[in-house]
Amino acid sequence: MDGDGYIGDAGLATDSLDDDYDTPWTDDGSLPTDRFLDRELSWLAFNTRVLELAEDPELPLLERVNFLAIFASNLDEFFMVRIAGLKRRIITGLAVPTNIGTAPQDVLANISAKAHELQERHATAFRHSVKPALDAAGIHVETWSDLSPADRERVDDLFSRQIFPVLMPLAVDPAHPFPYISGLSLNLSVRVRNPKTGRVEFARLKVPQVIPRFVQLPDDGTGRMRYIPLEDLISNHLHELFPGMEILQHHEFRVTRNEDVEIEEDETENLIQALEKELLRRRFGPPIRLEITDDMDEVTLGLLMSELGITEQEVYRLPAPLDLGGLFEIAKIDRPSLKYPKQVPTTALALQPSEPTATPDVFAAIAKQDILVHHPYESFATSVQAFLEQAAADPHVLAIKQTLYRTSGDSPIVEALIDAAEAGKQVLALVEIKARFDEQANITWARKLEKAGVHVVYGLVGLKTHCKLALVVRQENGELKNYSHIGTGNYNPKTSRIYEDLGLFTASDEVGKDLTRLFNELS
């Protein structure tokens, strides 16, 4: 989840507090040493609140499924970035005590203990709370042992036609070294014995990501929606992948790698080229977490730990299925009664035309008064998007300047900037290509904008430009007038329908001058 829309507390006035208020100061007037929260444990506390939503039986069932998937996705990113960064600093000797004075190695141990606890709690929530509730609602996540002979016959046919052709088992022997295990991929470890020679070999089978993680089972005539994890289905057809071999053991495992991007920024180098090189290296970062099913034998575990360079602290034993981020697929099932009621955003009153048949004029509305919009309850499309699209089409608009941190894959915001540039307007876009895990998408946007004639800049060396700003310069009655938008959320039409954010439109001269100076500084 993206935290770009965060708004902090405004603070409390202290002059009205009564005498019974327990102040944070010690008797000698100094502040206590434990007044700060540990940065990493605080983040885990945030993700715990996501897990608590999944555990809440009062929430709609498929929303609980969604929160289970969000928790898993959040934790993956935490490992790939926060833990990875801490481990790198420890290894390179650059780690320093935290803001509360905890030694780096102790921080890592504390994080690991809490992460183990949360992952076990997460698995328990699925197995003992959410899954039974899904069963009661007619949505069944089955295992192979649940299937009838008739079911298995139908699934055999499905496996042969749609799954078997894309599987690629990789053996490990003197001629075949241990294969590279990509980050966040789900895998099967398989130990087989050759009955002729008695030789035992190890093979790794990657669960393909091009096939749905939860395979919908053929209709059995009951009307129930039934699914089986893809890895379970594959595990029970290993004899087809290793003909003539005796299957001794098979288990699921998943590796998380360091995917933190660390570039040495230099005023003279091409930042995009440096970042692209680092993004290529990201896929080959060192392993930092190994998730295994709790029935994995010690021989297989020992081989994985040795080949991956994983410590005991980095091993997470969990009940199957692993990677509950795959539950996003189940959460998308079309059962409106099991989800939050649909919330249709409204157009802010100040942006509505005076007559039902009139064309909205965003500039006229902003000129009358400042307008505060509250997403997702008020529409992004009829406010922010309309503001920029009208600016792109308006012949009186001379310039548009905007920051872009994250946007959607088919962004109407980017298209509006391109339209404006092609219409001959001056357009400046600050594209933050260091936006975490959106780096490649933003590089693509930047090049598309440049090709259309937009002036593209990439922010300041050593910093991320995280502000969400848009400035439109319009000629009115022979003078230039500034129209500004300042927001807490990204210029992303898709997430604006989910995240809660505020945006302010103003024609204030002072704000316009401030933004002009800021854009000049950034460019």
Side-chain angles (χ1 to χ4, degrees):
M1 291 178 72
D2 180 20
D4 295 341
Y6 174 79
I7 303 174
D9 293 329
L12 297 171
T14 57
D15 56 354
S16 62
L17 300 178
D18 59 42
D19 293 336
D20 295 330
Y21 177 70
D22 185 16
T23 65
W25 290 275
T26 58
D27 291 339
D28 63 0
S30 62
L31 290 168
T33 55
D34 62 351
R35 66 189 183 277
F36 295 118
L37 298 174
D38 179 89
R39 178 176 183 259
E40 313 303 352
L41 292 178
S42 176
W43 188 94
L44 287 173
F46 145 72
N47 210 28
T48 302
R49 294 195 290 276
V50 177
L51 180 55
E52 288 167 353
L53 291 169
E55 294 169 332
D56 186 350
E58 299 299 314
L59 264 59
L61 179 56
L62 289 181
E63 301 297 345
R64 296 176 65 194
V65 173
N66 198 44
F67 282 122
L68 282 175
I70 290 171
F71 172 90
S73 176
N74 284 351
L75 199 63
D76 285 346
E77 187 170 322
F78 177 76
F79 272 91
M80 290 188 293
V81 177
R82 305 283 273 270
I83 290 184
L86 177 60
K87 283 196 67 178
R88 185 182 63 247
R89 291 191 297 274
I90 290 173
I91 291 170
T92 57
L94 298 176
V96 297
T98 68
N99 56 320
I100 62 172
T102 309
Q105 290 286 7
D106 292 338
V107 172
L108 197 57
N110 293 340
I111 293 171
S112 176
K114 187 64 179 177
H116 276 86
E117 173 197 323
L118 287 176
Q119 287 211 240
E120 289 165 10
R121 180 174 158 185
H122 181 233
T124 298
F126 172 69
R127 288 168 64 87
H128 299 300
S129 179
V130 173
K131 187 178 182 300
L134 286 170
D135 289 337
I139 301 171
H140 298 266
V141 179
E142 311 277 34
T143 62
W144 185 258
S145 60
D146 296 324
L147 303 186
S148 68
D151 279 332
R152 294 185 181 185
E153 188 174 328
R154 286 190 288 264
V155 169
D156 286 345
D157 180 60
L158 183 151
F159 177 83
S160 297
R161 288 186 296 102
Q162 298 184 23
I163 299 171
F164 179 80
V166 300
L167 298 178
M168 291 182 283
L170 297 174
V172 176
D173 56 35
H176 301 86
F178 192 84
Y180 174 78
I181 310 295
S182 54
L184 301 187
S185 63
L186 190 59
N187 303 271
L188 292 175
S189 63
V190 187
R191 283 173 53 224
V192 297
R193 179 190 290 127
N194 187 321
K196 294 181 180 178
T197 65
R199 182 186 180 90
V200 175
E201 295 181 359
F202 173 86
R204 171 259 187 162
L205 181 61
K206 182 176 180 178
V207 177
Q209 295 171 315
V210 294
I211 299 173
R213 172 68 197 294
F214 291 93
V215 178
Q216 186 162 7
L217 294 168
D219 184 13
D220 64 350
T222 65
R224 298 176 302 165
M225 302 184 75
R226 301 184 305 148
Y227 298 84
I228 186 170
L230 177 58
E231 64 273 19
D232 193 10
L233 193 158
I234 294 171
S235 295
N236 286 279
H237 289 83
L238 291 176
H239 57 281
E240 296 185 37
L241 292 158
F242 301 95
M245 304 293 277
E246 180 186 354
I247 310 297
L248 300 178
Q249 297 276 352
H250 62 82
H251 305 284
E252 293 126 54
F253 71 95
R254 183 172 182 258
V255 173
T256 309
R257 292 183 175 273
N258 178 342
E259 296 201 17
D260 193 20
V261 171
E262 189 75 15
I263 57 174
E264 294 293 331
E265 295 183 51
D266 188 287
E267 296 275 7
T268 60
E269 74 174 338
N270 185 315
L271 185 56
I272 284 188
Q273 290 180 359
L275 185 56
E276 284 182 318
K277 289 178 184 176
E278 190 62 25
L279 290 175
L280 288 174
R281 285 195 290 269
R282 170 189 269 176
R283 294 186 298 127
F284 301 98
I288 53 172
R289 178 178 59 165
L290 173 63
E291 296 168 278
I292 62 171
T293 48
D294 51 14
D295 60 349
M296 180 175 282
D297 64 285
E298 293 302 318
V299 173
T300 302
L301 176 58
L303 175 65
L304 290 176
M305 290 177 65
S306 172
E307 293 290 347
L308 294 168
I310 286 284
T311 66
E312 186 64 40
Q313 186 187 62
E314 296 165 327
V315 176
Y316 290 74
R317 291 181 177 270
L318 299 164
L322 301 181
D323 184 20
L324 292 180
L327 289 173
F328 278 125
E329 292 178 15
I330 303 295
K332 291 176 182 175
I333 291 173
D334 187 18
R335 291 279 297 273
S337 63
L338 301 181
K339 298 182 179 182
Y340 289 132
K342 285 282 186 184
Q343 183 76 36
V344 179
T346 61
T347 297
L349 186 61
L351 292 171
Q352 294 178 11
S354 55
E355 298 293 333
T357 56
T359 302
D361 187 338
V362 179
F363 296 127
I366 300 170
K368 285 182 184 177
Q369 64 183 75
D370 289 355
I371 301 170
L372 185 69
V373 288
H374 189 186
H375 310 303
Y377 313 106
E378 291 177 308
S379 170
F380 181 89
T382 60
S383 57
V384 178
Q385 187 176 323
F387 172 65
L388 291 163
E389 287 177 340
Q390 185 176 332
D394 188 339
H396 299 292
V397 168
L398 305 182
I400 303 173
K401 302 178 182 183
Q402 186 175 1
T403 60
L404 286 174
Y405 190 76
R406 300 183 199 272
T407 189
S408 58
D410 52 349
S411 174
I413 302 299
V414 173
E415 294 303 325
L417 296 178
I418 289 172
D419 290 345
E422 291 178 344
K425 304 181 194 305
Q426 289 287 101
V427 182
L428 170 72
L430 187 146
V431 181
E432 181 48 81
I433 57 172
K434 290 173 285 182
R436 185 83 64 189
F437 297 114
D438 270 341
E439 299 97 339
Q440 191 59 59
N442 282 7
I443 288 172
T444 302
W445 283 127
R447 288 183 167 146
K448 186 174 182 179
L449 288 164
E450 283 180 325
K451 192 175 289 186
V454 175
H455 302 286
V456 178
V457 294
Y458 305 107
L460 303 176
V461 171
L463 296 174
K464 275 188 185 177
T465 305
H466 214 278
C467 53
K468 314 306 182 327
L469 307 170
L471 175 67
V472 173
V473 182
R474 191 168 188 264
Q475 191 167 50
E476 298 179 5
N477 302 318
E479 296 183 358
L480 298 185
K481 188 165 184 177
N482 294 316
Y483 292 87
S484 309
H485 172 260
I486 302 171
T488 64
N490 295 305
Y491 288 105
N492 187 323
K494 291 183 178 177
T495 58
S496 69
R497 297 194 290 267
I498 305 170
Y499 299 162
E500 186 175 43
D501 285 298
L502 295 173
L504 175 68
F505 294 97
T506 181
S508 162
D509 245 9
E510 289 303 311
V511 173
K513 288 176 182 176
D514 283 346
L515 294 196
T516 297
R517 285 193 293 268
L518 177 59
F519 276 110
N520 288 344
E521 181 67 30
L522 292 173
S523 63

